Amino acid sequence: MSFASLAACVVGIGAVLRPFVGRVEAVKVVCVYIFLVLGAVPLVVIAWATDPTRRVFAFAAQTTLDTCLSALIAPLFVTLSCMLCTRWSLHAAQLRQRRPWLRILPTLCLIGAALYGMLGEERSLQQDVVLLLLCPILALEWVFVGPFIVNLGPSALLSFLIPSQVILHTNYGIASVLDTSNPVPVFEIALVLCSTAVVAFMFLFVEQTFAILRVMESRVGGRSNRQRAIGTDTNTEPVCPWKMRDELFLWFKYALFGSFSVDPTTVSDFKAVSDLIALHSKTFSLASKLYPQPLREDTVALYGFCRISDDVSDVVGSTVDDAQRRECMAMLEEFVDTCYNDSNNLEALILDISARISHMDVPCNASTAESVLRLFSIRVPRNVPKYCILELLQGYKFDMRRESRVDNVDDLLTYCACVASSVGEACAYLMRAHHAETFLNTLVRRINSVCHERVLDKQTKTHARDMGIALQLTNIARDLVTDAVDLKRVYVPTCWFGDAVTTATPLLKGTVVAATTVKGTPATDTATAHLRASFLHFPESHPELLISFSQRLLDLAQPYAASAVAGIHCLPKINQPAVTAALRMYLRIGAVILQADAYPRRAVVSTREKFVVLVKSLYWS
């Protein structure tokens, strides 16, 4: 394959990956090249010692400069292809162990092919390279990364098949590859496939190592636990400051042995929570794929907790009464306190809460609830302040009080701040923390600190909270009917119903007249209560109110949305496209409501519009 063609492919994939590539991805590419160089040196020595005819060196002497440059850039092309194909899976959930035969059987087959090459008759250089060189390397790689590749499924397969096909079609042309009368030699195809697979498996090994490090870091935790992880007895030896070389040693330890000893509990928790979110929160599941893996793991842990807490407050038609739901919500508050205070009572509390949730009419069972709570306890408290989570639970407690109502705009904004601004601020904390930890020296400093640093400047915090309010107001405007019918809730300020009564539109005259006093003067408060009750019972009988309320809610959201847009630049650059896409998607929902002739029961954005918004946000924001 010519260098120009390969460089064009690299530039094309790089342009697609531009919004998703940061320092960590660059480090992964460097790691692949380091492994290639470290592996090439002993292979050159072996080739010199075992090749008396010097075929390899004679072939190397005849290679052109274009071929050498292509060989240098080809691993980058394969690595970027792997990055593009596999980034959509949650890697921490793909570390689960498989049966031993899945690791052993392919390894034995590859070793058998290598032995056949050693014992067979003399063959061409391509055959020797495939059988004697690439097959042993693939066997070694499969021992370490085989189960991870199987768990990734089709994306891992495509990660080396796509670049292989591109290289074959460029070298021989599509017509030559498909020509059965003069086919491309099998071992030339095998050479391209195997060499591509070697680089792809090497990149997946690096990806697996980073994922294992993040999963084990959840359990390893701070300085003393990390020192125990590398074999230091903290009971007899003083706890020394954690150094950069210690972090690198821990990385190499997990690279070599992590796939055999990764914590299965955390891996299964990630799998259970990600499956729950993918099943019941499709929009968030899709949006979270745009985040880098470390941030995505923590947002999954945070959103899983938000999901089950919201389910407890929203459960309808369950045999569990309000008192039991309030008790469960109080236990969730106790659970949050326990997570931040490092109490030994955490596991018992998780089991108790999960058992209570399992008796409610909610999407998750006891096992899934345990996974959600356990994952939250080890991932979120280290980076998110406690008040954000407690503020969120205060909003859910408001939802559980049947007599609660939103009297005015200030009450509405307070509610939005509880259930949405708290989450927006928590996500901003997570983004800042993960951006800081991409610098190894910052990570080491955070490990040595007595408590995790949770730093967020006032400007970023304000914009993040404003974005939460804008999104929540849009949600309320979209769900006026479903909130009233399904949950028996109205988040529209009561004073707005009073405004509707005061204007006395023809639609409301009957309500106003029915609420008159003996003297015939309209009792505004009584009329307002009647109108609100009527709207709650059958909102679709008030089309004018639906249009008016949705417009006022969206108008109220506009300044907060503008603040959110202005504050996106305060976030780490790698997270800006994904946040922009989420905000624009919600703003598009508001536009659909405003453009409709009648209030839509459930405003939706078409798949085409979502794609257009996504592409514009990622590449032209």
Side-chain angles (χ1 to χ4, degrees):
M1 187 174 186
S2 68
F3 173 74
S5 302
L6 201 54
C9 293
V10 169
V11 171
I13 296 181
V16 175
L17 284 171
R18 180 181 61 83
F20 312 110
V21 175
R23 280 189 295 269
V24 175
E25 286 70 28
V27 169
K28 292 173 184 177
V29 173
V30 172
C31 287
V32 171
Y33 272 93
I34 289 174
F35 287 142
L36 286 174
V37 172
L38 293 177
V41 172
L43 292 176
V44 170
V45 175
I46 293 173
W48 179 270
T50 59
D51 184 21
T53 60
R54 301 290 184 265
R55 291 183 301 165
V56 174
F57 295 98
F59 175 79
Q62 297 173 1
T63 55
T64 62
L65 177 62
D66 186 80
T67 304
C68 292
L69 293 175
S70 298
L72 287 175
I73 202 174
L76 179 60
F77 173 52
V78 178
T79 300
L80 293 178
S81 300
C82 291
M83 202 178 292
L84 180 63
C85 292
T86 61
R87 76 170 314 277
W88 314 108
S89 298
L90 185 65
H91 293 166
Q94 310 302 331
L95 296 174
R96 60 191 186 279
Q97 294 295 326
R98 293 281 186 164
R99 295 182 182 275
W101 65 264
L102 191 61
R103 196 189 294 264
I104 296 172
L105 187 59
T107 303
L108 292 177
C109 292
L110 291 167
I111 292 175
L115 291 174
Y116 169 77
M118 293 175 62
L119 301 176
E121 59 186 15
E122 186 175 350
R123 285 167 299 276
S124 66
L125 179 62
Q126 289 90 343
Q127 292 172 325
D128 281 346
V129 170
V130 171
L131 295 175
L132 300 180
L133 178 61
L134 299 180
C135 282
I137 295 175
L138 287 172
L140 181 64
E141 290 178 330
W142 188 266
V143 169
F144 290 99
V145 81
F148 183 63
I149 294 173
V150 174
N151 292 335
L152 285 172
S155 60
L157 187 65
L158 291 174
S159 66
F160 73 90
L161 284 182
I162 290 177
S164 298
Q165 291 301 311
V166 170
I167 293 173
L168 283 171
H169 290 164
T170 306
N171 282 349
Y172 302 103
I174 297 178
S176 300
V177 174
L178 300 178
D179 186 7
T180 56
S181 61
N182 186 26
V184 178
V186 174
F187 269 94
E188 292 196 20
I189 297 177
L191 177 63
V192 173
L193 286 173
C194 290
S195 57
T196 306
V198 165
V199 178
F201 288 5
M202 199 170 294
F203 172 77
L204 292 176
F205 170 74
V206 175
E207 282 279 20
Q208 175 187 255
T209 302
F210 275 85
I212 291 172
L213 191 64
R214 293 192 301 270
V215 168
M216 298 302 291
E217 197 268 343
S218 300
R219 295 286 178 184
V220 170
R223 179 177 58 192
S224 60
N225 289 334
R226 281 173 180 260
Q227 288 181 325
R228 283 194 289 270
I230 63 173
T232 303
D233 186 358
T234 56
N235 294 323
T236 59
E237 300 179 32
V239 178
C240 301
W242 189 254
K243 297 182 176 61
M244 195 174 296
R245 67 170 181 268
D246 297 326
E247 188 69 20
L248 292 174
F249 176 77
L250 191 62
W251 191 92
F252 283 112
K253 176 185 176 181
Y254 287 144
L256 295 176
F257 308 110
S259 62
F260 304 96
S261 59
V262 64
D263 180 22
T265 302
T266 306
V267 173
S268 62
D269 289 346
F270 271 115
K271 177 66 176 171
V273 178
S274 61
D275 288 347
L276 174 69
I277 293 174
L279 186 61
H280 299 287
S281 304
K282 293 181 174 60
T283 301
F284 174 81
S285 179
L286 177 63
S288 66
K289 295 179 187 296
L290 302 177
Y291 289 129
Q293 287 288 332
L295 176 61
R296 183 179 173 189
E297 291 164 7
D298 279 1
T299 53
V300 163
L302 174 63
Y303 192 82
F305 179 79
C306 298
R307 177 77 267 167
I308 65 168
S309 302
D310 188 38
D311 288 341
V312 170
S313 68
D314 285 349
V315 61
V316 176
S318 173
T319 57
V320 180
D321 59 28
D322 290 344
Q324 290 173 298
R325 291 166 56 214
R326 284 194 292 269
E327 184 179 354
C328 186
M329 188 61 69
M331 294 180 67
L332 286 171
E333 286 186 318
E334 181 185 355
F335 164 76
V336 172
D337 281 328
T338 306
C339 288
Y340 282 86
N341 296 329
D342 296 327
S343 173
N344 295 326
N345 191 38
L346 186 61
E347 193 63 33
L349 196 56
I350 288 175
L351 294 175
D352 195 0
I353 296 173
S354 302
R356 291 173 184 271
I357 290 177
S358 66
H359 291 99
M360 300 179 183
D361 186 17
V362 295
C364 67
N365 54 27
S367 176
T368 305
E370 286 179 32
S371 295
V372 169
L373 297 174
R374 196 160 44 229
L375 196 60
F376 174 89
S377 68
I378 62 177
R379 297 296 299 221
V380 177
R382 58 184 182 167
N383 291 321
V384 177
K386 182 170 68 172
Y387 72 82
C388 290
I389 311 302
L390 294 179
E391 184 182 16
L392 173 69
L393 295 181
Q394 286 299 316
Y396 292 146
K397 289 170 71 174
F398 176 89
D399 283 337
M400 292 174 63
R401 295 193 292 269
R402 293 184 183 277
E403 69 279 4
S404 297
R405 69 178 190 177
V406 178
D407 289 327
N408 49 52
V409 173
D410 288 340
D411 289 347
L412 175 61
L413 295 178
T414 300
Y415 170 76
C416 292
C418 287
V419 298
S421 292
S422 58
V423 179
E425 184 178 346
C427 289
Y429 271 105
L430 291 175
M431 291 177 189
R432 277 297 173 89
H434 286 293
H435 176 69
E437 289 184 357
T438 57
F439 296 98
L440 192 57
N441 60 333
T442 306
L443 174 61
V444 172
R445 179 170 54 82
R446 284 166 59 86
I447 293 168
N448 285 318
S449 62
V450 177
C451 60
H452 283 291
E453 300 173 5
R454 306 184 186 101
V455 179
L456 192 66
D457 62 274
K458 184 177 180 179
Q459 183 184 16
T460 304
K461 184 185 297 186
T462 300
H463 290 307
R465 294 185 69 85
D466 286 348
M467 181 173 178
I469 291 177
L471 300 188
Q472 186 62 24
L473 289 172
T474 305
N475 261 337
I476 293 173
R478 180 187 61 181
D479 297 336
L480 287 174
V481 174
T482 54
D483 283 342
V485 174
D486 298 337
L487 301 177
K488 304 303 179 185
R489 293 177 188 156
V490 176
Y491 294 106
V492 176
T494 304
C495 65
W496 290 5
F497 287 99
D499 294 342
V501 170
T502 303
T503 57
T505 62
L507 181 67
L508 304 177
K509 283 181 179 178
T511 305
V512 175
V513 171
T516 56
T517 63
V518 177
K519 294 181 180 180
T521 304
T524 306
D525 292 343
T526 307
T528 299
H530 275 262
L531 181 59
R532 186 180 184 278
S534 175
F535 185 88
L536 180 62
H537 179 68
F538 190 25
E540 289 175 303
S541 65
H542 301 281
E544 288 188 5
L545 289 184
L546 288 172
I547 294 175
S548 173
F549 290 159
S550 61
Q551 288 178 340
R552 293 185 72 173
L553 286 166
L554 293 173
D555 288 343
L556 183 61
Q558 281 303 314
Y560 296 99
S563 172
V565 171
I568 287 177
H569 75 278
C570 299
L571 299 174
K573 190 171 182 179
I574 194 171
N575 299 321
Q576 292 178 14
V579 177
T580 303
L583 180 58
R584 287 181 175 175
M585 207 78 74
Y586 266 87
L587 294 180
R588 184 59 196 152
I589 292 174
V592 170
I593 296 173
L594 294 176
Q595 292 168 4
D597 295 332
Y599 180 82
R601 182 181 177 90
R602 179 78 174 182
V604 294
V605 180
S606 66
T607 303
R608 177 184 171 278
E609 287 179 302
K610 287 181 180 179
F611 179 77
V612 171
V613 169
L614 185 65
V615 171
K616 285 184 177 180
S617 301
L618 292 177
Y619 300 104
W620 288 282
S621 59

